[in-house]
Structures are given as C-alpha cells and as structure tokens.
Amino acid sequence: HFGSSVSAPQHPDASSMPKSKRAQVVHLSKVKKKPRTQKDALIDDLRATTDQFANAYVLEVENQRNKELTDVRKHFRPGRIYLGKNKVMAVALGDCPEKECQDNIHKMTPHLQGICALLFTDQAPEEVLKFCKSFQPSVQPRCGTIATETVTLPAGPDTLVKFPFSMEVHLRKLGMPTILKDGKIILLGDYVVCTEGEMLNAQQAQLLKLLQHDMDCFRLKVICRWSKGGDFQEYVDQ
C-alpha cells in the first residue's frame, strides 16, 4: 500500500568476517587515470613469489649496471630479483599488518628507499651475506659520480696511440688539446681528465670510458631480511 515501508535485508557485520591476506585488492590511487595492467601484474607476481621462497631481502644497489645485475640474477637462480618502482613493491608487500601479504612482511616496506631491490631465495642467510660482501666488480663511472682519483695524461705521441686517427676530432671536442700528425694523435700538453673528489661531468665520464678507466664498483648492501613464519631482521653492518 501507498506509504508502507519495506525493511532492508540484514547483512552480517563485515568486521566479523575473517580476512584473507592474499585476497585483498589495493588501489594505487583514488582516480584511475590510465590502465594499470602492468602494475597489477607486478603486484600479483610479487605476492605469489612470497609464497615460493623461504627468505626475502631488501638490497641497496650502488652503481647499478645491467650486466652486473644479470650476473646477480644468475647466481641466485631459481630465486627472483625485483628492481622496480619502490611504491608498487611496497603496495604488493603491504605497508601495515592489515594489508601485508605474509605475516610480518610489512616491516620490509619502510626500507624500500632509493635504488634498491627485493631478492627472494632459498639460500641460507649466511650465503647471501657472503656473496653480497664479495661481489664488487669494477664499473666505468658515469656523469654525476664523484671521482675517486686524479687522472692525468702526459703530453706526447704515445699517450693516445691506441686510438685511430679518426678519433682525433672527437677527443678534441671532449676538451683534449690534440692534433693529428703523420696519422697519429698527439697530445700537446699534460691533460687532467678528472680530479679526486670532484663530480664528473658528461665529457669527463665519456673520456674515462674511452680510456677504459674504471673508477666505481657495483655493490649490494643487505638492509633487512624476512623469513617464512614472520621472522624479521635488520642488518646495520655487514
């Protein structure tokens, strides 16, 4: 009849229902501006990986290079390494007990800062620490890094003998005082490529690369570890 009211069906209190840590959908932003398929796939893949391995580590990566990172991946196979957007990795792990995908794993998320990686492996912690301490291959410096030594080239016809004559114009454009004589590149005066303690510019970094002069090391620093069952440990000093 007109004016009669119908009571809404009663639903059980949502707070009383058991929650599944793996079943949550976490939104990266309130407004969906573009497709998130790649981010969603990364989140799902990373969460699945937490089920597959005994230990997870946050690694600080210094002087990251693709070749050296590939060597690290090979060493820890079949383990997995994620080096991507820290915010997305933090969403996958969960930043609080209510959102975490594994017990206590949310404690890792505050350490996802700067250039870092997530390593998942069944290798024993002492083996991981030993590898990260010892694996420090030298790499060529890049623009913006601090020179660890002063590099000076002596004047004369022998300093640049390994370069073909066609490189003379390029070396001169990079700031070197050179001339071409009898098909050989002559360095007209002593030339300081870089000075210890100073930041390298693009020309200096390119010259050091041409000279095949390594100045940096690829390094991995273990920041913290999470293990199945909820055990968590921070590493202050390695």
Side-chain angles (χ1 to χ4, degrees):
H1 298 285
F2 182 78
S4 63
S5 61
V6 179
S7 59
Q10 300 295 316
H11 296 283
D13 185 3
S15 62
S16 64
M17 301 292 287
K19 294 182 178 180
S20 170
K21 289 185 176 181
R22 290 297 308 280
Q24 297 182 59
V25 176
V26 180
H27 299 284
L28 291 174
S29 60
K30 293 182 180 180
V31 181
K32 191 172 183 180
K33 297 181 179 180
K34 58 183 179 180
R36 293 170 45 240
T37 54
Q38 290 185 336
K39 290 182 179 179
D40 290 336
L42 173 60
I43 290 172
D44 292 341
D45 184 62
L46 202 154
R47 286 177 175 170
T49 302
T50 65
D51 278 333
Q52 299 170 9
F53 298 96
N55 303 303
Y57 300 83
V58 173
L59 305 178
E60 180 183 289
V61 184
E62 185 177 344
N63 297 317
Q64 190 266 326
R65 302 289 193 275
N66 290 336
K67 177 184 178 300
E68 283 66 31
L69 190 62
T70 298
D71 293 338
V72 175
R73 292 183 191 276
K74 289 179 180 178
H75 175 81
F76 285 110
R77 283 177 182 169
R80 300 284 302 278
I81 293 180
Y82 294 85
L83 183 70
K85 294 184 178 180
N86 294 343
K87 181 179 178 181
V88 178
M89 294 193 294
V91 168
L93 297 181
D95 59 3
C96 62
E98 293 75 25
K99 296 180 181 179
E100 62 185 6
C101 63
Q102 298 283 350
D103 290 336
N104 231 19
I105 203 169
H106 75 277
K107 292 184 176 181
M108 302 188 79
T109 58
H111 300 285
L112 293 172
Q113 300 179 6
I115 303 177
C116 63
L118 278 174
L119 164 66
F120 293 88
T121 179
D122 287 329
Q123 290 191 22
E126 56 268 21
E127 294 179 359
V128 174
L129 290 171
K130 181 180 179 180
F131 174 81
C132 291
K133 280 184 179 180
S134 61
F135 186 73
Q136 295 187 10
S138 59
V139 295
Q140 293 174 348
R142 289 177 173 175
C143 177
T145 59
I146 303 300
T148 58
E149 61 180 298
T150 298
V151 177
T152 303
L153 301 179
D158 300 324
T159 300
L160 304 174
V161 68
K162 71 174 183 178
F163 292 104
F165 70 90
S166 57
M167 286 288 294
E168 192 273 331
V169 174
H170 183 58
L171 292 174
R172 188 155 25 95
K173 286 182 178 180
L174 290 175
M176 300 185 72
T178 62
I179 60 169
L180 190 63
K181 186 176 181 180
D182 298 330
K184 296 179 64 175
I185 302 175
I186 311 297
L187 187 61
L188 297 176
D190 293 348
Y191 183 74
V192 179
V193 179
C194 61
T195 303
E196 181 179 358
E198 293 186 356
M199 182 180 294
L200 298 176
N201 59 34
Q203 290 80 9
Q204 291 171 318
Q206 191 171 356
L207 276 175
L208 290 169
K209 182 178 181 180
L210 290 172
L211 295 167
Q212 297 181 332
H213 192 102
D214 294 338
M215 197 173 286
D216 285 333
C217 287
F218 174 93
R219 296 183 183 88
L220 295 173
K221 181 180 180 182
V222 182
I223 303 301
C224 61
R225 172 183 57 82
W226 169 88
S227 297
K228 279 283 184 65
D231 181 45
F232 178 80
Q233 181 177 353
E234 293 183 3
Y235 296 94
V236 180
D237 296 310
Q238 296 186 47

